[in-house]
Amino acid sequence: MTNQQTAPDESVSKDYFDPRARKGATGSRGKQPAFEPTETRRLYQALTRAVAGEVRFDPGTRSLYATDSSNFRQVPIGVVVPRTLDDVVAAHRICSRFNAPILNRGGGTSLSGETVNFAVVIDHSKYLRHIGVPDAERRLITVENGAVNEQVNEVTATVGLAFGPDPSSHRYCTIGGNVGNDSCGIHSVQSQLYGPGPRTADNVHSMEIVTYDGARFPVGVNEEAKLDRIVREGGRKAEIYAQLRDLRDRYADLIRKRYPSVEKLPRRVSGYNLDELLPERGFNVARALVGTEGTCATALQVTLMLTPALAQRATLAIAYDDIADACEHVSEIMEWKPVGLEGIDHQLFVNEHAKRMYPDALRYLPQTGENAWLLVEFGAGRKAELVERTDAFTHWLVETKHYDRSRIALFDGGEGKGRAEALWKIREGGLGATAFDPDGTSHWPGWEDSAVPPESVGSYIRELRQLYHKYGYRG
C-alpha cells in the first residue's frame, strides 16, 4: 500500500514555517527551537521515505491541525498519520535527526492546548486503534494509543469489566490522550472505590514507549526490586532508568514532603508524577509517564487495569438551593460508594435550556425552584443489590438528612434507564453549552479542571465565585 503525501506549498514564504517570525514562539529553556525551517522540505522528504502512512505538509492540513478544542492556535510544521507502530518509531527517528519537535495527537478534544504547537504532529487516531482481548482473570487489556475510550469499554464490557476513567469526551478521546492528560471523568469515582484508583495513572499496568531518539522498549510498575538488574543490562532503557533513579534519590525527601497524597487529593493530575518513582511506591515508571503530555516519551501500546463493570445502574437526581451547598454533601455521599457523582449548576441549566439542548432531560430534574443538582449513580452486579442500595440511600436522605422527597428523583430500569442516560448528557454537554453562550458571544475555557480535596469543594466554590465577581468573570 502506498503512502499518501502532500508536500509543502512552494508559494508559501519561508517565514510561514519560521517560529521566529511569530511572536512568542520559543523552544526549550527560552531559546529558539533547534529545528531550522529551511529544512522543512528535506524533513518532509525523509519522512515520506521512512513512513508507510500519510505525510501531510500542505497548508490545508496544517491549518486543520492548528486547532483543538482549546482557545490555542498554532500552525504545525507538518502532520504524520502513521499506519503502524513502526511508523511512529520511524517518525521519531527522522524528527530527532532534524531536531524537529514532535507533538502527539489523539481525538483533539484537549481543552488546554495540549495538541497544538509548532511541531510535527503525529495523529494516532486514524489507524492505531487496535484493542486486544481482555484478560478477565488478571483484569487487564492492551490497546494501541489511538483506541477510542468508549470503544475500549465496549470490548471490556463483554467480560464484565470497565476502564474507569472516562472524560466527557469518551466517545471521541483516545487512550493515548487519556495517558497524556492523566484523565479522570465521571466513572473515575467507580475506579477509585471499586478498582485501582481514580486517575488514568492509577489504572495503567505497563506501556510500550518510544523516546524522541527512537529507542523503543517497555516500561512497567513495581520495578524497584529489579532496578539494579535493569541498569546493569545496559542500553537506552538502562541509561534512562539510572537517570530517573538518581533524580528520585536526589529529591525523594522533598517529593514526600510536598506532594499531596492521592488519598487526600484524588484528582491530583498537575505536573509530573514524581512520587510514583519513590521506592515505597515501587518505582512505577509507566505511571510516572502518565500525565507528561508527551514531553518525555510517546506511548505506543498501553496495558490498562480494569474494574468490575457493575452493569446494573440507577441514577438519583437531588436538588439543592445552590451548587456550593450541593458540594458540602459530596464527602458523605461518597461514603455510599456510588459509581458516578457529578454536579449541575444553575448556569449550565440556564444555558442548555436557552439553547434547547436536551430539553426533555432538563425536565427530568426535580423542578423545585432550586439552582443546583447532584447526579448520583449507583452500580451493582445484581439487580436486587442495586435496589437495596438505592432504597437505603434514599431512606438516609429523607430520614437522616431530612431532605424533602420532592427534591429527589430516582431513575432506575425501563423508562428510567433512558431518562438517566439523558440526564448524564446534560453534564457531558457542559462545554458546548458554555463555550457558545446563548447571548451570541463566544467563550473559551482558559482555566480547566482545578482540583481540591473533596471536603473543601463547597468553600472553594464560594471563594472562586468571589474572585469571579471581583474581576468581572463568569464561569
Side-chain angles (χ1 to χ4, degrees), residues 8-18 21-22 37 40 59 62:
D9 190 338
E10 293 287 3
S11 66
V12 178
S13 70
K14 166 179 169 283
D15 285 348
Y16 190 70
F17 294 98
D18 192 342
R22 298 190 301 278
T40 298
R62 293 168 59 242

Side-chain angles (χ1 to χ4, degrees), residues 208-220:
E208 181 187 20
I209 65 166
V210 57
T211 62
Y212 178 59
D213 56 3
R216 180 178 182 177
F217 52 84
V219 296

Side-chain angles (χ1 to χ4, degrees), residues 205-347:
H205 177 269
S206 59
M207 293 193 292
E208 181 187 20
I209 65 166
V210 57
T211 62
Y212 178 59
D213 56 3
R216 180 178 182 177
F217 52 84
V219 296
V221 299
N222 297 319
E223 295 185 288
E224 181 71 30
K226 51 186 177 182
L227 181 53
D228 289 340
R229 176 177 59 78
I230 292 172
V231 173
R232 284 196 306 269
E233 288 174 349
R236 190 74 174 100
K237 178 176 179 176
E239 178 186 356
I240 291 172
Y241 271 46
Q243 292 174 341
L244 288 175
R245 180 182 59 187
D246 293 345
L247 177 72
R248 182 270 311 273
D249 292 345
R250 192 179 319 131
Y251 295 105
D253 290 341
L254 195 59
I255 294 169
R256 294 185 183 103
K257 180 180 178 181
R258 298 286 184 87
Y259 269 63
S261 67
V262 176
E263 290 73 27
K264 177 179 175 60
L265 187 59
R267 191 174 174 149
R268 194 209 74 211
V269 299
S270 301
Y272 293 89
N273 293 328
L274 296 179
D275 55 328
E276 293 288 354
L277 300 176
L278 293 172
E280 62 267 28
R281 295 293 294 270
F283 197 73
N284 304 322
V285 174
R287 292 174 187 163
L289 287 173
V290 176
T292 60
E293 300 289 4
T295 57
C296 297
T298 295
L300 298 174
Q301 298 186 92
V302 187
T303 299
L304 303 170
M305 302 169 69
L306 305 176
T307 300
L310 305 176
Q312 297 291 330
R313 297 294 174 93
T315 295
L316 290 95
I318 310 170
Y320 292 85
D321 294 331
D322 181 81
I323 191 64
D325 294 338
C327 293
E328 297 288 357
H329 294 266
V330 164
S331 292
E332 57 185 359
I333 289 176
M334 283 288 285
E335 294 178 5
W336 284 87
K337 300 190 72 174
V339 297
L341 177 57
E342 295 279 326
I344 297 173
D345 68 357
H346 181 67
Q347 187 64 54

Side-chain angles (χ1 to χ4, degrees), residues 25 42 77 88 171 235 237 330 367 376 378 381 395 413 445 447 450:
R42 291 184 62 239
I77 298 169
V88 181
R171 291 180 178 84
K237 178 176 179 176
V330 164
Q367 303 294 314
V376 187
F378 288 100
H395 184 270
W447 178 20
S450 51

Side-chain angles (χ1 to χ4, degrees), residues 436-463:
F436 303 99
D437 202 89
D439 64 11
T441 58
S442 293
H443 301 264
W444 294 273
W447 178 20
E448 280 282 329
D449 287 351
S450 51
V452 297
E455 65 273 13
S456 303
V457 176
S459 59
Y460 173 80
I461 290 293
R462 293 188 177 93
E463 292 176 22

Side-chain angles (χ1 to χ4, degrees), residues 11 64 78 80 102 141 150 225 297 342 354 361 366 390 415 425 428:
S11 66
L64 287 173
V80 173
I102 284 173
I141 189 170
E150 180 157 298
E342 295 279 326
T390 55
E415 185 180 46
K425 288 181 180 178
E428 291 180 6

